[in-house]
């Protein structure tokens, strides 16, 4: 683990500036790669050192990478690029889990507001949009889109629907049950970042999370 930590830290030290200077067509896939690796770094470092500050710092950098890419897309009016899609929501989750709701709201503001057919699944778009609406406290919008997510046929969408619905309903019991189901799907991951993020959203609404 120590070796992987060292390699990731060295590789990712300039992640944000790299996304700033790459050609935009190359910046998209690299931004996704960097965010994925920064989440991995956050998980490994927390598993090794139990340092919540470091954990949140790496996740915040993941979100900064995403924000940097989205800002570049906005300046260039490059809304046709596949990595611009709202369904690329992992860095949004990272921002929330890092307690950087300012960054999360910035990502939401910079993200497209309609489904990018062919660039993201409908379920990913709906999930990312509902989470974004919850971050921005647009609960009516979140509730309407949540019903569309409920119609998606896959099991993961059903679990996500239950978790998000429990936050809107302020139901601690339902949230605990749905998080336990989601966690079982990722039992091999030392830290369930998505669960942390959902817990942050719940806590904002006064819902206690075990």
């Amino acid at each position: 683990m120590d070796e992987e930590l060292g390699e990731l830290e060295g590789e990712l030290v300039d992640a944000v500036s790299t996304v700033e200077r790459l050609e935009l067509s190359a910046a998209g896939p690299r931004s996704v790669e960097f965010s994925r690796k920064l989440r991995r770094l956050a998980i490994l470092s927390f598993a090794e050192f139990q340092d919540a500050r470091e954990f949140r710092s790496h996740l915040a950098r993941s979100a900064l990478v995403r924000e940097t890419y989205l800002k570049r897309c906005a300046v260039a009016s490059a809304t046709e690029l596949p990595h611009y899609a709202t369904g690329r929501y992992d860095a949004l989750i990272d921002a929330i889990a890092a307690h950087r709701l300012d960054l999360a709201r910035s990502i939401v503001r910079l993200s497209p507001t309609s489904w990018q057919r062919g660039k993201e699944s409908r379920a990913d778009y709906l999930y990312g949009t509902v989470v974004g609406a919850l971050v921005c406290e647009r609960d009516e919008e979140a509730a309407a889109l949540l019903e569309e997510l409920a119609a998606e046929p896959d099991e993961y969408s059903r679990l996500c629907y239950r978790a998000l619905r429990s936050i809107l309903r302020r139901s601690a019991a339902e949230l605990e049950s749905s998080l336990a189901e989601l966690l079982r799907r990722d039992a091999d991951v030392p830290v369930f970042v998505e669960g942390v993020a959902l817990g942050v959203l719940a806590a904002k609404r006064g819902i206690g999370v075990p």
Side-chain angles (χ1 to χ4, degrees):
M1 184 183 291
D2 288 346
E3 183 178 348
E4 185 179 0
L5 275 169
E7 289 176 357
L8 286 170
E9 286 172 348
E11 179 183 354
L12 298 169
V13 65
D14 295 321
V16 174
S17 60
T18 299
V19 170
E20 286 177 327
R21 67 173 180 264
L22 283 173
E23 291 290 331
L24 199 50
S25 59
R30 287 304 295 279
S31 70
V32 171
E33 177 190 352
F34 284 149
S35 285
R36 177 178 56 79
K37 289 182 175 180
L38 281 161
R39 179 184 287 195
R40 175 69 175 165
L41 179 59
I43 291 170
L44 290 178
S45 63
F46 188 79
E48 180 77 6
F49 305 113
Q50 289 77 52
D51 186 337
R53 182 178 297 181
E54 192 74 5
F55 173 71
R56 292 175 182 176
S57 174
H58 293 315
L59 293 178
R61 286 173 62 208
S62 166
L64 279 168
V65 166
R66 178 66 176 165
E67 182 192 43
T68 299
Y69 173 67
L70 291 174
K71 283 181 175 178
R72 290 194 61 195
C73 287
V75 168
S77 298
T79 58
E80 78 289 348
L81 295 174
H83 295 87
Y84 174 67
T86 299
R88 307 274 184 174
Y89 58 73
D90 285 349
L92 172 62
I93 295 294
D94 292 343
I96 299 167
H99 291 253
R100 286 295 305 274
L101 299 184
D102 57 325
L103 261 178
R105 293 186 186 106
S106 178
I107 288 171
V108 173
R109 285 193 298 270
L110 291 163
S111 297
T113 57
S114 59
W115 178 32
Q116 309 291 295
R117 187 188 295 271
K119 300 171 186 174
E120 60 186 341
S121 73
R122 178 72 174 166
D124 283 349
Y125 162 72
L126 289 169
Y127 182 68
T129 304
V130 172
V131 170
L134 288 173
V135 168
C136 297
E137 300 181 354
R138 301 196 301 259
D139 286 8
E140 288 188 11
E141 176 188 340
L145 289 167
L146 195 56
E147 293 310 308
E148 294 187 45
L149 182 61
E152 292 296 314
D154 62 290
E155 176 71 6
Y156 186 69
S157 292
R158 184 188 68 80
L159 295 176
C160 290
Y161 165 77
R162 284 193 60 217
L164 295 172
R165 183 183 64 181
S166 69
I167 294 172
L168 280 170
R169 290 180 171 180
R170 290 174 165 79
S171 172
E174 185 181 5
L175 179 59
E176 182 178 358
S177 171
S178 56
L179 285 178
E181 288 190 73
L182 284 167
L183 183 57
R184 278 194 288 272
R185 291 175 54 95
D186 294 291
D188 59 332
V189 179
V191 183
F192 182 35
V193 174
E194 195 159 350
V196 174
L198 292 171
V200 171
L201 290 177
K204 280 191 65 192
R205 287 163 171 75
I207 308 167
V209 182

